[in-house]
Amino acid sequence: MTALTLSTAAVPGLRADAIVIGVAKGSASKAGGPVVAPGAEAVDRAYDGKLAGVLETLGASGAEGEVTKLPAPAGFKAPLVVAVGLGDRPGKGAGYDTEALRKAAGVAARALTGVKKAAFALPLTDAADAGAVAEGVLLGAYSFDAYKDNGKSAKNGKNGKAPLAEGVLLGGKPRDKAYKAAVERAVAVAEELNRARDLVNTPPNDLDPEAFAAVAQAAAKEHGVKVQVLDEKALAKGGYGGILGVGAGSASGPRLVKLSYTSSKAKKHLALVGKGITYDSGGISLKPAGHNETMKCDMSGAAAVFAAVVAAARLGLEVNITGWLALAENMPSGSATRPGDVLRMYSGKTVEVLNTDAEGRLVLADALWAASQEKPDAIVDVATLTGAMMLALGSRTFGIMANDDAFRSAVHGAAEEVGEPAWPMPLPEHLRKGMDSATADIANMGERMGGGLVAGLFLREFVGEGITWAHLDIAGPAFNEGGPFGYTPKGGTGSAVRTLVRVAELAAAGDLG
């Protein structure tokens, strides 16, 4: 991954391949031209204070996501200046929003593919800004090319060019503890988030439940996290009917992975549960043509939980975290669960399966009940659960449901704080009746309208009494089928990893509500 350093070096004499500066949108009352952001003073002076005019001539406006390249001024060691748009200029006395900095750094890092070293002279007012820029650089430089050109691109990156090798953050304070901690946090979180992206992008023929469990075991051993893996026999012995039912049609057996990170100073216990369908064909309720191609991403929730637990361990957070990865492959075959079958879940409840493509809630139900047995202070589950949530919130925003309004607000606040768009959603009681079954305790389907909320109500049935719980439906933002934007690549995004880490930090600080 891209190496990062903090530096107070003067821009003109810095040996690098490029200097990244920020440009904001100017006020309409002042002709609306681009405005050079703080951090770029030395570059502006070298252009005799006319850098904004030069950039405007080249078509720059300062809009978010905009990149303008120009030759560096005479006397600079770096040959290239890269001006990246920051969006609207903040009001007088205010600093730039951390998410704007994160996005700008990500856009610049992606634009510098093939470059060895770049210096980022973006506006930093405090350690949080430095952390945001560091995160943006590391996430924006991400590339997944392991399956291209016989593996050569795994080293060479996009179009045969390696991702940005080194980023230098100018304006930071290398000896300041807060700045160092912010960058170290960014590195830990970004590395694990990028690991989650790798898992989501890995083809399902190479990432079945057993292979996913093996990755989790290796990482857990490396970072001092305890791990337990339940295979088919253990799941059958334990009565995990939901996970077994979903995995029944596949030649690749299901797994339930438990990751345990503990801190001697912890006062809270947080459980994280992730849906890990390594490939979702829909089962007997087969998905229509055109809906199968990206279903390797249906394990994004488990990838997010896995990454968050490991990141928490690397950061040494003072909170106990248990991660549950409910892993299965949903395939049609002679042994597959049929519509109309009844499964006896780990909780003892019976579920009539009306649609085998509503499988995520079945594996999560078993994992939620398993998590509940340890009586954690709170449970957060993460899943690419429903197309209905995508219809409601689009492709960049995930929904948050909970059995406690204050907790839902706290999780929503954490998501917004780290730059992950999310929206609080209700759990209307009248929708529960639609899942009544004449055969079993509950059906896995209810009313079509409000399907994302129905799924949340189903999951609530398997949360232990008195336990605070939230459900994140990341169906929209987990996999980006369009072009890259900000620090978000095409393909697996690592959605919810940063939210989960922030929730864990808040739990450690006793500020989770």
Side-chain angles (χ1 to χ4, degrees):
M1 208 168 78
T2 305
L4 282 181
T5 55
L6 285 164
S7 176
T8 56
V11 175
L14 184 66
R15 293 187 180 278
D17 299 295
I19 304 294
V20 177
I21 62 172
V23 185
K25 294 171 66 175
S27 170
S29 63
K30 296 182 180 179
V35 176
V36 178
E41 291 85 356
V43 180
D44 191 28
R45 284 195 298 271
Y47 277 97
D48 297 323
K50 299 178 181 179
L51 178 56
V54 173
L55 290 170
E56 187 172 17
T57 300
L58 293 173
S61 67
E64 182 182 296
E66 184 181 78
V67 173
T68 306
K69 296 181 179 181
L70 64 161
F76 274 53
K77 297 291 184 182
L80 180 69
V81 171
V82 178
V84 60
L86 290 164
D88 292 333
R89 184 183 187 184
K92 188 175 181 180
Y96 284 84
D97 179 74
T98 54
E99 180 63 3
L101 295 173
R102 193 180 287 113
K103 287 180 178 178
V107 168
R110 192 170 65 251
L112 290 168
T113 297
V115 171
K116 290 185 177 181
K117 183 177 180 179
F120 289 77
L122 294 172
L124 304 184
T125 57
D126 55 24
D129 288 348
V133 171
E135 216 171 57
V137 171
L138 297 175
L139 297 179
Y142 173 81
S143 179
F144 184 79
D145 298 283
Y147 290 83
K148 295 182 179 179
D149 300 327
N150 295 318
K152 293 178 182 178
S153 289
K155 293 182 179 179
N156 296 332
K158 306 167 188 173
N159 302 317
K161 295 181 180 180
L164 175 65
E166 182 182 354
V168 179
L169 273 59
L170 299 175
K173 302 175 182 179
R175 297 183 182 180
D176 185 286
K177 290 183 179 179
Y179 277 78
K180 288 176 63 177
V183 172
E184 287 171 1
R185 179 192 183 278
V187 170
V189 173
E191 284 186 350
E192 296 311 319
L193 191 153
N194 283 340
R195 195 205 300 257
R197 288 173 170 177
D198 284 348
L199 286 167
V200 176
N201 289 326
T202 299
N205 57 316
D206 280 348
L207 191 76
D208 60 14
E210 184 178 3
F212 194 145
V215 172
Q217 285 176 306
K221 183 178 180 180
E222 180 183 356
H223 296 289
V225 175
K226 291 182 180 179
V227 62
Q228 179 185 8
V229 179
L230 301 185
D231 61 12
E232 302 99 316
K233 291 182 179 179
L235 290 169
K237 184 177 180 180
Y240 292 86
I243 297 175
L244 287 168
V246 173
S250 175
S252 301
R255 297 288 187 273
L256 178 61
V257 179
K258 177 185 177 183
L259 300 167
S260 302
Y261 162 70
T262 57
S263 167
S264 60
K265 298 180 180 179
K267 294 182 180 179
K268 297 289 185 179
H269 176 197
L270 179 66
L272 306 177
V273 178
K275 172 189 173 184
I277 305 300
T278 57
Y279 182 75
D280 181 20
S281 69
I284 298 297
S285 304
L286 193 67
K287 292 180 183 292
H291 290 73
N292 288 288
E293 290 76 7
T294 61
M295 282 300 102
K296 64 181 181 180
C297 80
D298 213 20
M299 36 59 68
S300 295
V305 167
F306 164 55
V309 174
V310 176
R314 292 179 59 173
L315 294 171
L317 300 186
E318 295 178 2
V319 58
N320 292 335
I321 305 178
T322 307
W324 300 84
L325 316 182
L327 310 177
E329 185 177 58
N330 188 24
M331 297 290 284
S333 75
S335 61
T337 294
R338 297 153 289 229
D341 282 356
V342 173
L343 303 177
R344 186 170 294 278
M345 313 298 281
Y346 181 54
S347 68
K349 285 186 179 180
T350 55
V351 176
E352 182 182 10
V353 180
L354 299 180
N355 187 325
T356 64
D357 195 25
E359 86 299 330
R361 65 198 69 182
L362 298 175
V363 299
L364 284 174
D366 275 354
L368 282 168
W369 190 254
S372 296
Q373 302 317 294
E374 297 188 342
K375 305 295 182 184
D377 294 288
I379 300 175
V380 180
D381 79 68
V382 189
T384 47
L385 206 59
T386 65
M389 196 56 58
M390 297 178 69
L391 291 173
L393 299 178
S395 61
R396 297 191 184 184
T397 304
F398 61 76
I400 306 174
M401 285 152 265
N403 62 2
D404 180 274
D405 289 348
F407 187 60
R408 183 185 62 189
S409 296
V411 174
H412 180 222
E416 293 294 315
E417 185 179 348
V418 299
E420 294 201 287
W423 196 253
M425 304 289 281
L427 289 173
E429 293 298 334
H430 71 273
L431 291 176
R432 169 61 183 85
K433 185 173 178 57
M435 290 184 283
D436 286 348
S437 167
T439 306
D441 294 323
I442 190 172
N444 77 328
M445 292 291 289
E447 294 184 29
R448 180 171 176 268
M449 298 301 177
L453 312 183
V454 170
L457 286 165
F458 179 90
L459 295 179
R460 191 183 66 178
E461 297 280 322
F462 298 90
V463 177
E465 186 176 354
I467 298 176
T468 302
W469 156 80
H471 160 58
L472 313 185
D473 190 336
I474 61 170
F479 197 84
N480 176 27
E481 296 187 61
F485 58 92
Y487 48 83
T488 301
K490 183 179 178 66
T493 65
S495 177
V497 172
R498 291 180 295 137
T499 295
L500 295 181
V501 172
R502 186 60 188 145
V503 166
E505 290 174 329
L506 292 171
D511 294 332
L512 197 52

